[in-house]
């Protein structure tokens, strides 16, 4: 596709601010990730128009990466050779009401799919902090939300179609794919081009969101389990200062036996009297409705609203998954580093994620707590700090988020994934010559 044709295409997709950098690229500017901290190694991008187009393109290239919605902060999606973009293949393929599944084209974003599902009477089990991201990229990197009983977003995947390095279409499913399916879902973009994804559904539900301010750290120490299990999804935000957690976001389902009753005080924290942004100084206009106003699941599970800039914008992010039994120890280890961390921090978020069976998921066979850092966009400072944090979290076998910034050595990273040998074998089955491997995958996964 020529840049002119591409520009015509994206200009038709108004209301998708995340596409703005792609439109800028089409007008001759640099091709960068969402946060702008990374300029990709090439500006060559082919926008696929059909499955046949994907297959033909893959056959012809010796090296390529699929570019999703560009929300990764590290180079996992980067290419020195060329990108394939599936944004045009973002349609609902089939809604199976009886089986409670939906199959979508891999260019679909959560923000596009969710209102459709709700209208049809269905819901997904969970969402990330933002609905702007593509489903394929999110699942490929084990993107997660929060909730003691909620697995990451990839746990909803029940089938995948992907084009392998030969250009052949491979179909994998939970029912038919056995172990290899569990290896392919969090595939890190290493197995091929995902063209369709099938997701598990549940009946649609209504939620309420409440925010509490200033939870004493002592209350967290004494009541961590009770706080985390108080609602369907709980997020704690902190700048690690003043022995308190700045905000507690509680997202609860309305139609359940014992809904969250929203007392004025929650373990010493006070119920907020207006909508808040996780970074209290920023406008809450970007945020989903709070104050207990009931609304559909997809307008309460994410923190940020579709059509608005999520988070802060110009930022960096890192996140570490710690096995749930070590949650408090890990939180307190970071708290002890507060005076090193806070100067470079916008906000931290603490979430819980249920265990799963996906080989490359940080929550493989272990429920986790995720310690997230939204940093000011100062990479030299953050790069100097990350090894300090990683050293403190090492006793807990902390695993970094696949799409965020980390400095862990490749050998250490590989040692944290017991199914990594199986994953590299599976990748080589679909991509023997490493067509879909880039420098990130070679270094961190394949040890090349
Ligand atoms: C503001 C912000 C908020 C965020 N909040 C959260 C959060 O709440 N929870 C969380 O866990 N993460 C969060 N993230 C991280 C984000 O969810 C992940 O980085 C995710 O991978 C983004 O998907 P993407 O398609 O935008 O990524 P990209 O960088 O475009 O791609 C990610 C990977 O997926 C591969 N890929 C994409 N599409 C395909 C396909 N069709 N076939 C094969 N491979 C494919 C790419 O090659 C790459 O390896 C956040 C990021 C930002 C910027």
């Amino acid at each position: 596709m020529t840049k002119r044709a591409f520009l015509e295409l994206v200009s038709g997709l108004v209301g998708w601010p995340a596409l703005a950098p792609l439109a800028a690229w089409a007008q001759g500017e640099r091709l960068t990730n969402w946060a702008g901290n990374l300029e990709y190694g090439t500006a060559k991008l082919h926008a696929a128009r059909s499955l046949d187009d994907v297959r033909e393109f893959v056959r012809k290239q010796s090296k390529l990466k699929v570019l999703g919605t560009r929300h990764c902060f590290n180079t996992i999606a980067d290419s020195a050779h060329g990108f394939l973009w599936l944004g045009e293949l973002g349609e609902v393929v089939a809604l199976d009401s009886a089986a409670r599944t939906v199959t979508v084209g891999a260019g679909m974003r959560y923000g596009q799919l969710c209102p459709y599902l709700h209208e049809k009477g269905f819901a997904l089990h969970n969402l990330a902090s933002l609905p702007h991201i593509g489903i394929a990229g999110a699942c490929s990197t084990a993107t997660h939300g929060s909730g003691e009983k909620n697995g990451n977003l990839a746990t909803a995947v029940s089938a995948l179609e992907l084009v392998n390095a030969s250009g052949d279409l491979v179909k994998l499913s939970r029912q038919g794919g056995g172990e290899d399916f569990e290896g392919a879902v969090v595939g890190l973009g290493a197995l091929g081009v995902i063209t369709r994804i099938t997701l598990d559904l549940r009946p649609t539900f209504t939620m309420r969101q409440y925010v509490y301010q200033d939870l004493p750290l002592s209350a967290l120490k004494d009541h961590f389990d009770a706080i985390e299990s108080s609602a369907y999804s709980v997020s704690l935000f902190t700048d690690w200062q003043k022995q308190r957690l700045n905000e507690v976001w509680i997202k609860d389902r309305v139609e359940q036996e014992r809904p969250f009753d929203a007392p004025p005080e929650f373990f010493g924290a006070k119920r907020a009297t207006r909508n808040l942004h996780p970074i209290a100084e920023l406008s809450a206009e970007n945020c989903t409705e709070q104050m207990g106003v009931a609304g559909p699941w997809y307008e309460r599970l994410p923190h940020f609203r579709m059509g608005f800039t999520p988070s802060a914008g110009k930022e960096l992010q890192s996140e570490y998954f710690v096995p749930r039994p070590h949650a408090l120890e890990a939180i307190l280890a970071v708290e002890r580093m507060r005076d090193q961390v806070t100067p470079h921090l916008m906000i931290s978020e603490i979430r819980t994620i249920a265990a799963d069976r996906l080989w490359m998921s940080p929550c493989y066979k272990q429920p986790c707590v995720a310690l997230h850092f939204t940093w000011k966009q100062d990479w030299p400072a953050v790069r100097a700090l990350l090894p300090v944090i990683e050293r403190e979290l090492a006793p807990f076998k902390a695993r970094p988020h696949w799409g965020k910034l980390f400095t862990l050595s490749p050998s250490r990273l590989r040692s944290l994934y017991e199914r990594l040998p199986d994953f590299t074998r599976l990748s080589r089955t679909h991509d023997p010559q490493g067509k879909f491997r880039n420098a990130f995958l070679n270094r961190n996964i394949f040890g090349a």
Side-chain angles (χ1 to χ4, degrees), residues 58 69 187 349 404 412:
V58 169
T69 38
E349 182 176 8
K404 302 185 183 181
R412 171 73 182 165

Side-chain angles (χ1 to χ4, degrees), residues 34 66 68-73 129 137 141 143-144 192 194 351 401:
W34 171 85
V66 183
T69 38
R70 303 170 300 103
H71 279 65
C72 288
F73 290 85
S129 68
T141 54
T143 292
H144 63 95
I194 299 165
R351 290 178 277 187
H401 191 299

Side-chain angles (χ1 to χ4, degrees), residues 3 6 20-31 42-45:
K3 284 197 175 185
F6 184 79
L22 286 181
W25 159 83
Q27 293 177 82
E29 292 182 22
R30 305 173 316 141
L31 183 58
T42 178
K44 271 195 263 169
L45 182 143

Side-chain angles (χ1 to χ4, degrees), residues 220-232:
L220 190 76
K221 283 185 201 164
D222 293 343
H223 304 288
F224 184 71
D225 289 338
I227 291 169
E228 290 298 340
S229 59
S230 60
Y232 189 77

Side-chain angles (χ1 to χ4, degrees), residues 148-163:
E148 297 258 285
K149 296 188 180 148
N150 298 324
N152 68 40
L153 305 191
T155 59
V157 177
S158 66
L160 283 177
E161 291 186 18
L162 61 88
V163 171

